[in-house]
Amino acid sequence: MEKAIRKQFFIFVLPTLIAFTAGFLLPFLMGIGLSFCRFTTVTDAVFTGLGNYRKIFSDATFVHALWYTALFTIVSVITINVAAFTIAMLLTKGIRGTNLFRTVFFMPNLIGGIVLGYIWQILLNGVLERFGKTLTYSSAYGFFGLVILMNWQQTGYMMMIYIAGIQNIPDELIEAAKMDGAPAGTLLTNVIIPMVMPSVTICTFLTLTNSFKLFDQNLALTAGEPSNRSQMLALNIFETFYARTGWEGAGQAKAVVFFLIVAAIALVQNRFTKSREVQQ
Amino acid sequence: MKRNTISVMLAAAVAVSAFAGCGKKETDDERTPGGSAADAVQQTTEGTEAPGNGISGNTPSSGEGSVYYLNFKPEQNDAWQKLAERYTDQTGVEVVVITAADGTYEQTLKSEIAKTDAPTLFQVNGPVGLRNWEKYCMDLSDSALYSHLTSEDYALKNDAGEVAGIAYAIETYGIIYNKKILNDYCTLDDAVISAPEEIRSFETLKAVADDIQERKEELNDTFGYELKGAFTSAGMDGSSDWRFKTHLANLPIYYEYRDRGISSTDAIEGTYLNHYKQIWDLYITDATCEPGLLSGKTGDEAESEFGMEEAVFYQNGTWEYGNLTNPDNGYLVTAEDMSMMPVYIGVEGEENQGLCTGSENYWCVNSQASAGDQQATLDFLNWVITSDEGRDAMANSMGFTTPFDTFGEEYTADNVFIRADAAYTAEGRTPVTWNFSTIPSETWKNGVGSALLEYAQGTGSWDNVVSAFVDGWAEEYAASHR
């Protein structure tokens, strides 16, 4: 039976493969093709060469969005992972109500980005109103608003991954370290962290790409205001596509550049954290 | 062999169920055009059948073809659905009306028109919108629709002089004001004016607004109002900012065009920007909220401030009538209390300025559709503007003032703002035309809007507005003509 199925593997793969091709691969290739074209609708394009790519670097908002996104990514990757790891450590110590806490921390992750964006907009504006300001008063408010939002949303998810990693550390290893008289600090840096490195790889990868690709939350929280100063890359691409006649191709070109950047960062990160993983 | 059969059957079962999933998804997609526009409102007149599948069931009376209208105005969706159904009942021609969710028309149109069953009838917002869709607009100069236009001004022509679009709704905006409160104000000691009609210039408007703002407590105590300011909040949230970055910006553009004798330009000079600043200063100073909060204020908030008599002045247009008088909203203001005055910005001779009247709604028939569908669409439109049902729906259910000669006295939309406009015109005032359709791009509007907001909340200077207005115009014009 197993052998027979193995022979027919292609038939089993086919449905997913077709869906993947139609839903991802084809649009992706089409997108790359369209970045070299001028078009109004995607089925009716005229080839124009590299013109779109020249346009995007003359667009100051793109460069600003790039830096803004990079900065946001750095800040949120660090804060989310530190917070998630800390909570995971606390919640693996057998405190009473651990399960309740885990559920509560995980819950925000179940709410969609747009909804979260609007909820946090109301919350943060409510606080800022006391000072006669709003989130879109300056891009710094939007920035920290987004950082808070993303931490709130993602910490729980990353925490679960870290908890799984921490629980996987063999008890005898920790016991042995303790018996050798390792203080808590050493235990953390020399035993626990090296042992959860696979979790770190996954968590940094997820937070890094999520932060870089952030769209819904950005759109709902500030929509790029004021003056596009809180606009991140994905939103910038979206706006380029729709806000000007004849710039659809430039938006598409930005999307290709965006893809290359995200792919490059993810690859480098993966290689780096993987090299730190240890064998049990 | 038997095993093989089993595995193939298993595989087939998996495939079928997977495709069943796919198939369902596709139908879902069709029901919500544009994907992202998931909340798009739509119904077809014949169940879930896709447009363009020919006629089903009933006997067609006007040849082959069907109509697919991608509607722009969500507030008129119900009326269009009913009208489409009526037409299908009468003629058997299938009419599908899909309404794009608020603010997503361009996105929806872009994805819909690329489909096999593309809209046969869609709309553009003026010359700039037309440039994007020119290829899809058939020449309407031979259509009955065009022949019924009362004025050439309502036809949108392309560079070749063909009629690419036809306006179907004429709208008017200005400063909506609460007559009752203003009249009560006039009875106060030392009121700046003695009747609302005396406001005929920016100077008077400002004097009145300043005085109301300063003496709102006195007004509240004397007449039992709950005034919070003279003007409603000039919200810069996306649901409200168009009132200022587009509609208010029209006035300096209009006066500059008038002086230069042009109807569009590749470079605006900004000669009336000081006037723009004056009126914007007034909006944000004599208002219901602190300028620092403007970025979060929505259109609904401004509407309800006016409706709940918390403010006297509210810049908006004829389309707001329905919302302000809708009993479900529970507003205190009544139809008799409301009127509209021109947006005075302090230009010389503005005592003869009328309201801002024009159109940014042009019907276009898809040139890429089949001849049968095109004919069906033209027939449908002709029916809309000539039949009793169609005219009743346009004038009464949708409340449009139309530019067609088929709408006599009987089919005239009636609301206090339209009446105010008619009165100003009868008085001999010059209506301000809608020139914002020549604004080079959405990006320009966003740039001006952001600069206005930053100026209002004190994080930017007025120079940024000037630069967004003048330099932004040249840049955007160049960017979209490259």
Side-chain angles (χ1 to χ4, degrees):
Chain A
M1 184 74 190
E2 199 183 307
K3 218 177 174 191
I5 291 177
R6 198 170 287 167
K7 254 191 257 164
Q8 312 290 349
F9 85 97
F10 193 70
I11 300 176
F12 285 91
V13 167
L14 201 63
T16 321
L17 191 69
I18 290 176
F20 181 74
T21 312
F24 180 81
L25 218 54
L26 282 182
F28 179 68
L29 294 176
M30 216 167 128
I32 294 180
L34 283 173
S35 71
F36 298 100
C37 297
R38 189 190 166 88
F39 62 97
T40 305
T41 60
V42 292
T43 47
D44 178 20
V46 185
F47 185 78
T48 54
L50 284 171
N52 290 328
Y53 288 88
R54 271 196 291 277
K55 266 183 188 172
I56 64 176
F57 288 104
S58 65
D59 180 359
T61 62
F62 182 68
V63 182
H64 178 268
L66 190 62
W67 287 119
Y68 193 79
T69 310
L71 193 63
F72 170 79
T73 307
I74 294 169
V75 173
S76 61
V77 165
I78 294 172
T79 51
I80 291 173
N81 283 293
V82 168
F85 187 76
T86 314
I87 298 171
M89 286 296 285
L90 292 174
L91 293 186
T92 43
K93 295 227 183 293
I95 309 171
R96 221 162 12 130
T98 295
N99 282 334
L100 178 75
F101 280 118
R102 286 185 191 170
T103 317
V104 168
F105 280 118
F106 188 73
M107 290 283 267
N109 198 58
L110 303 176
I111 311 173
I114 284 277
V115 181
L116 272 188
Y118 283 115
I119 293 175
W120 277 95
Q121 187 190 49
I122 295 166
L123 286 175
L124 294 171
N125 274 341
V127 175
L128 288 170
E129 195 173 5
R130 296 178 173 276
F131 308 99
K133 305 264 167 67
T134 65
L135 264 181
T136 43
Y137 185 80
S138 91
S139 67
Y141 292 172
F143 185 87
F144 289 109
L146 274 173
V147 170
I148 294 171
L149 194 168
M150 283 302 280
N151 269 280
W152 192 74
Q153 185 185 18
Q154 305 236 300
T155 302
Y157 193 80
M158 302 307 150
M159 171 200 78
M160 291 309 262
I161 299 177
Y162 281 125
I163 286 179
I166 293 170
Q167 283 175 339
N168 259 340
I169 303 174
D171 287 343
E172 51 267 36
L173 203 63
I174 293 179
E175 243 165 69
K178 278 185 182 160
M179 247 174 230
D180 289 343
T186 318
L187 187 70
L188 181 73
T189 50
N190 287 350
V191 180
I192 298 177
I193 290 183
M195 289 306 286
V196 295
M197 241 8 230
S199 305
V200 175
T201 308
I202 299 168
C203 287
T204 41
F205 174 76
L206 285 177
T207 43
L208 196 74
T209 49
N210 279 349
S211 308
F212 221 87
K213 296 186 303 187
L214 197 70
F215 178 77
D216 309 16
Q217 289 85 339
N218 191 205
L219 179 73
L221 198 71
T222 65
E225 289 297 318
S227 303
N228 298 332
R229 304 310 280 179
S230 71
Q231 189 182 52
M232 296 184 47
L233 268 184
L235 186 60
N236 182 270
I237 293 169
F238 179 81
E239 302 260 311
T240 312
F241 199 89
Y242 288 112
R244 271 186 197 145
T245 307
W247 275 63
E248 291 87 353
Q252 206 56 57
K254 282 183 183 181
V256 172
V257 173
F258 179 57
F259 164 76
L260 292 175
I261 295 174
V262 175
I265 292 177
L267 284 176
V268 170
Q269 175 270 334
N270 224 354
R271 177 154 296 190
F272 177 74
T273 46
K274 266 224 168 113
S275 69
R276 306 248 151 167
E277 287 176 16
V278 290
Q279 294 295 322
Q280 280 190 15
Chain B
M1 183 64 205
K2 209 176 176 190
R3 274 181 184 172
N4 256 343
T5 324
I6 291 173
S7 59
V8 167
M9 273 171 67
L10 259 175
V14 169
V16 165
S17 58
F19 282 124
C22 279
K24 188 152 185 290
K25 210 169 172 194
E26 259 161 42
T27 346
D28 282 344
D29 280 348
E30 249 175 29
R31 292 183 60 83
T32 49
S36 65
D39 48 348
V41 205
Q42 67 109 35
Q43 271 166 24
T44 64
T45 53
E46 303 207 340
T48 55
E49 206 165 323
N53 288 349
I55 314 109
S56 54
N58 308 350
T59 18
S61 66
S62 58
E64 288 174 23
S66 61
V67 182
Y68 171 14
Y69 178 26
L70 189 63
N71 175 34
F72 174 78
K73 287 173 165 285
E75 59 271 31
Q76 267 89 26
N77 178 54
D78 292 345
W80 277 113
Q81 300 295 353
K82 271 187 214 139
L83 198 57
E85 210 170 315
R86 188 76 59 80
Y87 186 69
T88 308
D89 285 347
Q90 283 188 14
T91 61
V93 176
E94 189 187 7
V95 179
V96 176
V97 178
I98 289 181
T99 302
D102 209 358
T104 63
Y105 192 79
E106 282 290 302
Q107 277 118 289
T108 313
L109 181 58
K110 245 179 204 157
S111 57
E112 283 297 294
I113 215 152
K115 293 184 178 171
T116 326
D117 295 323
T120 59
L121 177 63
F122 60 96
Q123 69 173 72
V124 299
N125 62 3
V128 174
L130 177 64
R131 217 174 42 243
N132 217 357
W133 296 107
E134 210 166 351
K135 270 209 287 195
Y136 295 88
C137 300
M138 77 177 262
D139 184 8
L140 297 172
S141 28
D142 297 328
S143 66
L145 197 64
Y146 177 61
S147 67
H148 284 303
L149 272 185
T150 49
S151 157
E152 277 287 296
D153 294 345
Y154 299 124
L156 182 65
K157 294 186 177 168
N158 62 16
D159 294 341
E162 293 169 349
V163 181
I166 288 177
Y168 65 88
I170 308 299
E171 294 171 309
T172 297
Y173 67 88
I175 297 177
I176 298 175
Y177 64 96
N178 189 319
K179 249 193 293 189
K180 190 176 67 175
I181 305 181
L182 214 47
N183 278 324
D184 283 341
Y185 162 77
C186 293
T187 65
L188 290 183
D189 295 339
D190 310 320
V192 185
I193 47 165
S194 53
E197 290 71 35
E198 286 177 28
I199 304 178
R200 291 197 63 165
S201 67
F202 175 78
E203 212 174 300
T204 327
L205 176 66
K206 181 170 162 48
V208 172
D210 285 351
D211 205 31
I212 291 179
Q213 184 78 12
E214 199 170 303
R215 296 164 75 179
K216 59 185 180 220
E217 298 306 332
E218 190 183 339
L219 274 163
N220 290 347
D221 294 343
T222 321
F223 301 103
Y225 294 122
E226 286 186 36
L227 279 179
K228 290 183 179 166
F231 279 90
T232 57
S233 56
M236 291 306 281
D237 176 81
S239 58
S240 164
D241 61 353
W242 48 269
R243 295 193 289 140
F244 314 107
K245 68 183 187 186
T246 311
H247 285 182
L248 189 60
N250 183 56
L251 287 132
I253 300 173
Y254 164 78
Y255 278 112
E256 182 172 333
Y257 281 7
R258 188 198 62 176
D259 289 356
R260 291 166 64 185
I262 52 176
S263 61
S264 74
T265 180
D266 56 354
I268 199 106
E269 286 166 10
T271 35
Y272 285 93
L273 284 184
N274 284 335
H275 302 86
Y276 191 42
K277 178 171 186 292
Q278 284 194 144
I279 187 85
W280 180 241
D281 280 338
L282 183 65
Y283 280 5
I284 60 177
T285 325
D286 292 349
T288 52
C289 78
E290 289 298 310
L293 300 176
L294 286 182
S295 65
K297 291 281 176 189
T298 63
D300 287 349
E301 280 173 273
E303 180 189 297
S304 91
E305 284 161 14
F306 184 79
M308 300 312 285
E309 301 190 329
E310 291 170 0
V312 187
F313 301 107
Y314 171 40
Q315 186 209 305
N316 217 325
T318 43
W319 54 87
E320 261 299 302
Y321 181 76
N323 287 337
L324 287 172
T325 53
N326 183 350
D328 295 344
N329 288 335
Y331 290 146
L332 299 172
V333 72
T334 60
E336 299 76 57
D337 294 341
M338 296 188 290
S339 191
M340 196 187 275
M341 67 169 83
V343 185
Y344 297 113
I345 61 168
V347 176
E348 196 135 321
E350 67 182 350
E351 57 277 6
N352 287 320
Q353 178 190 314
L355 300 173
C356 304
T357 297
S359 182
E360 59 164 351
N361 298 288
Y362 295 89
W363 274 331
C364 301
V365 176
N366 188 348
S367 58
Q368 324 262 321
S370 73
D373 286 351
Q374 286 175 350
Q375 194 51 48
T377 305
L378 291 172
D379 290 345
F380 172 66
L381 288 180
N382 196 35
W383 177 82
V384 168
I385 63 157
T386 52
S387 71
D388 290 348
E389 294 99 320
R391 288 183 293 174
D392 179 57
M394 289 277 280
N396 301 327
S397 313
M398 304 182 205
F400 289 144
T401 306
T402 55
F404 303 110
D405 58 14
T406 51
F407 289 74
E409 285 283 305
E410 208 184 330
Y411 294 108
T412 306
D414 191 32
N415 77 44
V416 289
F417 304 140
I418 294 173
R419 255 178 278 157
D421 182 39
Y424 284 124
T425 313
E427 218 177 273
R429 300 226 204 165
T430 321
V432 173
T433 51
W434 285 19
N435 297 103
F436 55 78
S437 52
T438 62
I439 286 174
S441 73
E442 278 301 306
T443 309
W444 183 88
K445 296 179 191 170
N446 296 340
V448 170
S450 299
L452 280 177
L453 172 62
E454 286 180 44
Y455 167 73
Q457 58 188 17
T459 46
S461 71
W462 182 257
D463 292 343
N464 296 343
V465 180
V466 175
S467 134
F469 204 101
V470 178
D471 304 336
W473 187 292
E475 279 165 27
E476 288 304 315
Y477 188 89
S480 50
H481 282 77
R482 230 184 270 164

